[in-house]
């Protein structure tokens, strides 16, 4: 029997946390609840979750700082939960490395759907070894290799750590060089469901990619103003 996937729920409101845990337990997930940022950071190591549901307003270390510290050493998916619905708060959360952002109050079915969607993209379905070797899950350019099978990016001979959504966005663009994609198309392809945020989500992820993957003399991520982005080959 397969091992249950583990979800760390970080929320100082015990009633909300228990309700979330109930919904997810019914979907056969294993859950752990903590109520503050310091306990959350400790649980990331001891519980080793497959995904983290992270409230922003926490006693002591807030959710933003927890996200920063988790991202500094791990690519474990993070869905932020917050009563703050301003665009600034969503963008800040995504810039810090969150994979998704849900505004409270939220529908339980939508939360479960988003958790499953993020997990599917972080751990793609296993394929037989022979198929993996022939399947096109890796793209290579000078000084850049993006592998979507094992979720690794090697740039200038160094492995680059990045959250799943960043890697998937980079892979999707690089797998179709010189093809222009609108922000709406990228949202649909990478997030895979009707995302509640706006197209600024794509801009935030592109910005983070550019901070890690600099333009090369053979390729670059190009902005097509008013439309979207493309992975442009220059040779």
């Amino acid at each position: 029997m397969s091992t249950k996937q583990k979800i760390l729920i970080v929320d100082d409101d015990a009633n909300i946390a228990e309700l979330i845990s109930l919904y997810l337990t019914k979907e056969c997930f294993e859950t752990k609840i903590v109520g503050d940022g310091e306990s959350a950071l400790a649980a990331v190591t001891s519980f080793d979750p497959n995904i983290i549901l992270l409230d922003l307003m926490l006693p002591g270390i807030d959710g933003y700082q927890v996200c920063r510290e988790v991202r500094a050493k791990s690519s474990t998916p993070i869905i932020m939960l917050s009563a703050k619905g301003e665009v600034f708060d969503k963008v800040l959360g995504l810039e810090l490395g969150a994979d998704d952002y849900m505004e409270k109050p939220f529908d339980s079915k939508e939360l479960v759907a988003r958790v499953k969607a993020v997990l599917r993209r972080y751990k793609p379905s296993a394929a037989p070894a022979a198929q993996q070797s022939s399947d096109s899950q890796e793209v290579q350019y000078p000084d850049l290799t993006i592998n979507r099978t094992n979720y690794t990016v090697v740039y200038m001979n160094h492995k680059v750590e990045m959250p799943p959504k960043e890697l998937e966005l980079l892979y999707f663009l690089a797998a179709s060089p010189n093809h222009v994609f609108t922000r709406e198309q990228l949202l649909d392809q990478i997030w895979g469901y009707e995302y509640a945020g706006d197209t600024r989500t794509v801009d935030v992820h592109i910005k983070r990619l550019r901070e890690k993957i600099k333009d090369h003399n053979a390729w670059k991520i190009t902005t097509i103003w008013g439309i979207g982005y493309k992975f442009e080959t220059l040779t």
Side-chain angles (χ1 to χ4, degrees), residues 4 29 33 95 109 114-116 147 160 164 168 172 201:
K4 289 183 178 181
F29 291 106
I33 298 172
E95 285 184 333
K109 292 181 179 178
R114 293 198 184 198
V115 166
K116 289 180 177 179
N147 190 305
V160 179
E168 290 164 12
F172 183 77
T201 301

Side-chain angles (χ1 to χ4, degrees), residues 155 160-163 166 208-214:
Y155 169 63
V160 179
E161 295 294 334
M162 59 179 62
E166 285 181 32
R208 281 158 43 185
L209 282 173
R210 284 173 167 159
E211 290 171 352
K212 298 173 182 178
I213 307 293
K214 306 299 182 183

Side-chain angles (χ1 to χ4, degrees), residues 5 14 153 174:
Q5 290 182 297
V153 174

Side-chain angles (χ1 to χ4, degrees), residues 3 16 34 44 55-56 99 119 154 170 183 230:
T3 304
I16 291 177
V34 296
V44 170
D55 184 37
L56 293 182
D99 297 275
L119 286 171
V154 177
L170 178 61
R183 291 169 174 82
K230 69 176 178 178

Side-chain angles (χ1 to χ4, degrees), residues 24-114:
L24 293 171
T25 300
K26 286 182 178 179
E27 296 293 326
C28 297
F29 291 106
E30 179 182 350
T31 65
K32 180 178 178 65
I33 298 172
V34 296
D36 60 83
E38 188 173 348
S39 299
L41 292 173
V44 170
T45 300
S46 61
F47 185 57
D48 190 23
N50 297 100
I51 189 170
I52 302 168
L53 303 183
L54 178 62
D55 184 37
L56 293 182
M57 305 304 291
L58 297 170
I61 305 173
D62 67 17
Y64 290 120
Q65 186 60 32
V66 171
C67 186
R68 286 190 191 96
E69 296 194 28
V70 171
R71 274 293 163 265
K73 59 184 178 181
S74 170
S75 60
T76 302
I78 297 172
I79 298 179
M80 284 187 169
L81 309 176
S82 178
K84 294 183 175 183
E86 298 299 323
V87 171
F88 169 81
D89 298 302
K90 294 181 181 179
V91 171
L92 177 57
L94 293 168
E95 285 184 333
L96 292 175
D99 297 275
D100 202 350
Y101 188 111
M102 289 195 70
E103 189 177 337
K104 294 180 178 179
F106 45 77
D107 180 80
S108 60
K109 292 181 179 178
E110 182 182 1
L111 174 63
V112 171
R114 293 198 184 198

Side-chain angles (χ1 to χ4, degrees), residues 157-187:
N157 296 317
H158 290 89
K159 185 176 178 181
V160 179
E161 295 294 334
M162 59 179 62
K165 286 292 185 292
E166 285 181 32
L167 186 147
E168 290 164 12
L169 179 57
L170 178 61
Y171 176 88
F172 183 77
L173 289 169
S176 299
N178 301 312
H179 184 101
V180 178
F181 294 97
T182 67
R183 291 169 174 82
E184 290 80 7
Q185 286 174 323
L186 293 171
L187 271 176

